[in-house]
Amino acid sequence: EDLVQRYGHGLLRRGQPYDREALLAFQSGLQNAPNFASVIVDIERDPALASAVPVRVQIAEALPKRLSFGVGMSTNTGYRVEASYRDTNLFARAWELSTGLRLEQRRQSAYADVFLPPAGRHRDSFGMLLDRSDLEGLKIESQAVGVARKTLRGDIETQLALRYQHEKISPDGAESRATDTLTANWTWIKRDVDDLLDPTRGYVLEFQLGGGAAIALAEQDFVRLYSRFARYQPVGERDVFIVRGEAGATLANSRTGIPQDFLFRTGGAQSVRGYAYQSLGVREGSATVGGRYLGTASAEYVRWFEPQWGAAFFVDVGDAADERADFSLRTGYGVGARWRSPAGPLAIDLAWGHDERKLRLHFGVAIAF
């Protein structure tokens, strides 16, 4: 009962006028919670009760523990196997534990996050992450712990996160170095689409502001600005025209001592197709490392021949660099196949990297972020 009341806090208050949207938001919050298998929220539609109508909430609890395994592959990080465990009633306090291990050819990670019960529109969490990757000649080993608060207001989601991170990077042909950094990051996302898994109309907009300070472990002061946008425009009865773009800048004297998460690399599926994953950035030795500036854009037309099958035609441009003078847009274009799966449209793209004069195959899930 306490958990149900927490989801209703701030949405439904005794004595306030009836609001259908608030009632639906309350029900949606309960349905999305992993604690419940089914939810029905309703009122007595009796005019005689109009001055004080009761809200009925009927729930069926879900099994609290879940263990799952999976296999997969992507053109970005190769083949993978993974295992995850979730307990939605940790310590019998309705805390949600989510932990897992993912082993990929070019990346391995282990994580554990604990999500506290919501307090109205807010939900707090804390967790840890171990991550290792070897991409484009850059080996990264990082360990991080952090806390976050997520807030949901309609279709707008914000998050404020504080993280302590130890990172060691080893570029091929260059000197290895390690950093310890305390960073803060604020994220704002608006998702105004008709379907989160398979959007055909609307837009998604995201802004991020974060950074670190020399007085709090960082080697230098730095501020990271980032934004991305995707627009979905229906054409005719079935087709969709998609425009997306992203831009970022890290304000600092140099990239020295800044974690790679606060710098930029690009290329690969869901980015600049026609180029290897994370291959567009700054050359250091024989490796590609993150730079302080990012810009990408894409235009894509998806033609659905059948409800489940379609074809795509696209053009991508973008680059990441450490100096604005070195920024040079790379172009990729090609065609692809689309299949509407239960997890969203699966995309197989064949793209030509104009600057590298090379044909690449990309595979991914084409969903809104």
Side-chain angles (χ1 to χ4, degrees):
E1 181 181 358
D2 174 70
L3 189 59
V4 172
Q5 291 176 348
R6 281 177 173 270
Y7 277 97
H9 180 75
L11 294 174
L12 304 178
R13 296 186 301 274
R14 188 183 302 274
Q16 75 180 85
Y18 170 73
D19 187 331
R20 179 175 178 272
E21 293 300 320
L23 203 67
L24 290 175
F26 177 40
Q27 177 171 289
S28 177
L30 291 173
Q31 288 173 333
N32 293 332
N35 312 80
F36 309 118
S38 65
V39 178
I40 299 176
V41 178
D42 202 1
I43 64 168
E44 289 286 350
R45 289 170 172 77
D46 184 351
L49 300 175
S51 60
V53 60
V55 176
R56 285 200 312 268
V57 181
Q58 296 174 271
I59 61 169
E61 293 188 31
L63 294 175
K65 296 178 174 62
R66 177 180 178 181
L67 180 64
S68 59
F69 302 91
V71 297
M73 68 84 63
S74 75
T75 50
N76 287 345
T77 52
Y79 294 99
R80 73 173 181 270
V81 295
E82 58 186 311
S84 62
Y85 173 75
R86 186 177 71 183
D87 185 350
T88 61
N89 196 23
L90 187 66
F91 306 133
R93 298 177 62 89
W95 292 12
E96 181 187 347
L97 168 67
S98 178
T99 183
L101 174 67
R102 173 177 288 193
L103 303 177
E104 301 172 281
Q105 285 181 284
R106 294 184 285 275
R107 188 170 190 173
Q108 302 82 43
S109 59
Y111 65 90
D113 294 301
V114 175
F115 299 88
L116 303 183
R121 302 179 187 273
H122 306 295
R123 192 170 196 191
D124 298 326
S125 63
F126 58 90
M128 57 81 64
L129 171 68
L130 305 177
D131 189 81
R132 184 182 184 279
S133 64
D134 186 353
L135 298 165
E136 292 300 308
L138 176 63
K139 298 179 179 66
I140 304 175
E141 297 178 8
S142 65
Q143 304 87 41
V145 294
V147 296
R149 163 165 286 192
K150 183 178 292 185
T151 304
L152 188 62
R153 293 183 175 88
D155 58 5
I156 296 177
E157 175 186 307
T158 60
Q159 178 174 284
L160 182 61
L162 186 67
R163 181 174 67 173
Y164 169 75
Q165 176 179 347
H166 173 79
E167 179 184 85
K168 178 183 178 181
I169 65 171
S170 302
D172 290 347
E175 184 179 354
S176 300
R177 53 188 182 271
T179 57
D180 292 277
T181 317
L182 182 65
T183 57
N185 200 63
W186 175 78
T187 303
W188 182 97
I189 304 176
K190 180 178 177 63
R191 299 181 177 93
D192 186 6
V193 293
D194 55 351
D195 188 333
L196 284 176
L197 290 180
D198 185 15
T200 60
R201 181 188 301 273
Y203 66 92
V204 182
L205 181 62
E206 176 178 352
F207 295 103
Q208 290 184 19
L209 171 64
I215 61 173
L217 297 180
E219 293 188 18
Q220 62 170 319
D221 298 335
F222 64 92
V223 175
R224 179 181 183 271
L225 306 172
Y226 174 78
S227 66
R228 58 178 173 172
F229 172 79
R231 171 71 184 180
Y232 300 85
Q233 180 63 44
V235 180
E237 296 183 359
R238 291 183 176 180
D239 300 353
V240 184
F241 182 63
I242 305 168
V243 177
R244 62 173 175 81
E246 59 179 344
T250 299
L251 309 180
N253 293 328
S254 71
R255 66 177 187 274
T256 304
I258 300 177
Q260 289 294 301
D261 288 346
F262 284 76
L263 297 171
F264 305 101
R265 290 190 291 173
T266 190
Q270 299 296 301
S271 178
V272 184
R273 288 161 288 189
Y275 301 85
Y277 180 57
Q278 302 279 271
S279 65
L280 302 181
V282 180
R283 299 300 292 179
E284 184 173 327
S286 58
T288 301
V289 304
R292 290 179 292 165
Y293 299 97
L294 169 74
T296 71
S298 173
E300 180 173 314
Y301 186 90
V302 182
R303 169 67 172 167
W304 292 100
F305 301 105
E306 299 290 341
Q308 299 299 118
W309 294 95
F313 309 88
F314 58 85
V315 177
D316 299 337
V317 297
D319 194 18
D322 203 43
E323 302 288 345
R324 281 173 289 185
D326 298 331
F327 194 86
S328 177
L329 291 178
R330 313 295 181 90
T331 303
Y333 44 85
V335 298
R338 300 290 182 269
W339 173 58
R340 281 192 170 112
S341 76
L346 293 181
I348 300 177
D349 294 321
L350 193 60
W352 175 259
H354 181 78
D355 296 82
E356 291 187 352
R357 316 299 294 177
K358 193 171 184 178
L359 196 63
R360 291 185 182 274
L361 181 70
H362 299 282
F363 177 84
V365 181
I367 61 174
F369 51 86

